Amino acid sequence: MVTAWVLPGSPTASVIVVPDELPTIQSAVNAQTDTVLVRAGTYDEDVLLFRGIAIVGYPLLDPPQLQRVRIKPTDDPSSSGSYVLMSIDVTHGIILENGSRAIYVHIKDCN
């Protein structure tokens, strides 16, 4: 017999698929998920990232288009502040805000 315990507040990985589960990338980011999978299409929104998160085009062979990504790290020094954008075509660039501290951005396979 195997017993599993889940403690309140224990870390779990979560994934939201846009637009299947939520209509916009920003609404998925605001839902405090760890990973946002974005289906192919054009998303006319200015996404604000304020905490560590992965945004991944889904499926990988047909990347979605996103107008702009703004990255504004939280002022919490304990925040990881790392962001992964993978298989996303960002048409108008990535804007880094808040020069008061360094941030780490990992961009992989970004068209």
Side-chain angles (χ1 to χ4, degrees):
M1 179 176 169
V2 176
T3 303
W5 296 92
V6 178
L7 301 174
S10 64
T12 59
S14 59
V15 177
I16 291 178
V17 180
V18 173
D20 299 6
E21 297 173 54
L22 290 174
T24 66
I25 297 169
Q26 188 66 58
S27 62
V29 170
N30 293 347
Q32 301 294 316
T33 189
D34 299 308
T35 302
V36 177
L37 296 180
V38 184
R39 293 209 182 267
T42 301
Y43 297 84
D44 186 18
E45 61 180 301
D46 185 1
V47 176
L48 171 63
L49 303 179
F50 50 88
R51 60 180 179 77
I53 192 167
I55 300 178
V56 181
Y58 177 76
L60 296 177
L61 298 178
D62 192 8
Q65 290 188 345
L66 178 59
Q67 182 177 2
R68 183 180 300 114
V69 175
R70 288 186 303 135
I71 299 174
K72 184 173 184 177
T74 178
D75 290 335
D76 178 5
S78 65
S79 173
S80 69
S82 65
Y83 308 89
V84 177
L85 304 176
M86 186 168 68
S87 295
I88 301 283
D89 183 3
V90 181
T91 61
H92 288 91
I94 298 170
I95 300 167
L96 304 179
E97 297 180 350
N98 188 358
S100 63
R101 68 181 181 92
I103 62 172
Y104 170 75
V105 180
H106 179 134
I107 300 173
K108 181 179 178 184
D109 298 332
C110 187
N111 294 329

